[in-house]
Amino acid sequence: MSDLELEMNTPDEEKVPTIMLTDEDGTEEAFQVLGFQTYQERDFAVLCPVEIEDDAEVGLVIMESVGGNSLEFVEDEAVTEAVFNLFIETLEASEEE
């Protein structure tokens, strides 16, 4: 897994925080933070790309928090799926309240 720089900003007009992720090649991409989820005593961020082309399938990105200063892509597909399912369950439960 490679570390990514983390920069959090939330302009006043935005309701969803935005994170700029910089990969190893220096390419930046903006992601909206949909939420945070704890799974097996580890913290994860659920992200969605800001720039989405029309008719494109949107894949959410699950990243693990590392020391609160950076995020790493989760390479374990089973962990990604478990975090995503738990995130959806949490959303559904909060909507029912």
Side-chain angles (χ1 to χ4, degrees), residues 52-57:
I52 301 171
E53 295 182 23
D54 292 338
D55 299 327
E57 276 190 39

Side-chain angles (χ1 to χ4, degrees), residues 12 47 52-53 57 61-62 73:
D12 293 337
L47 312 174
I52 301 171
E53 295 182 23
E57 276 190 39
V61 176
I62 309 293
F73 285 104

